[in-house]
Amino acid sequence: MPFSSLCVEALSWFSDLFKTLARQKSLGHLVVIALLVALVFGVILYVIDDNVHSPLDGIWSAWVTMTHVGFGDVVPVSFLGRLVAAGLILFGLVLFSLFTATLSVALIGGNIETLGQNLRQVGDDAGRIERGEERILQELEKLNERLRALEDQLSTLNAQEE
């Protein structure tokens, strides 16, 4: 398969995946929750920790803590600041778990729909095969009856000749 067709196929697959994810309300909810948590806890970090010098620094620190990037440029040093950061770390774990689950549902959901279509097709094919078998069995029964009749006639003719 040429590289260009592989690229086109991959882009088509990603496009379908993004369309599926865009239809998922839960993904949008996760993003909104993540942004709100970063905003609220970023401001809280600014208020309670002396090492966070502006609300934007607090939001930045909250975001990199939740995403487990942890650049280290803005780090809370007070006990309460570190406690909030620990909570953000745990929240980030939950957030990424939910994101991964949402992505898995989108990927598996498409496969389940395809599997359902395939199963319906197999069921339809099996029904057609069964109907065909019934017709063949009926024809064989008719042929058996005709063969018996011919054997009876042959027996009758042989009996008359003797």
Side-chain angles (χ1 to χ4, degrees), residues 79-137:
F79 174 76
L80 284 177
R82 289 181 176 181
L83 194 62
V84 169
L88 286 170
I89 290 170
L90 293 176
F91 177 77
L93 287 171
V94 171
L95 184 74
F96 278 105
S97 298
L98 291 173
F99 176 76
T100 303
T102 302
L103 184 63
S104 298
V105 166
L107 291 171
I108 294 170
N111 291 339
I112 287 174
E113 289 173 12
T114 303
L115 179 63
Q117 291 172 353
N118 291 344
L119 286 176
R120 282 190 293 280
Q121 182 65 38
V122 167
D124 293 345
D125 291 346
R128 281 194 294 276
I129 290 170
E130 286 176 4
R131 288 189 296 276
E133 285 176 351
E134 285 296 320
R135 282 186 296 210
I136 290 170
L137 289 174

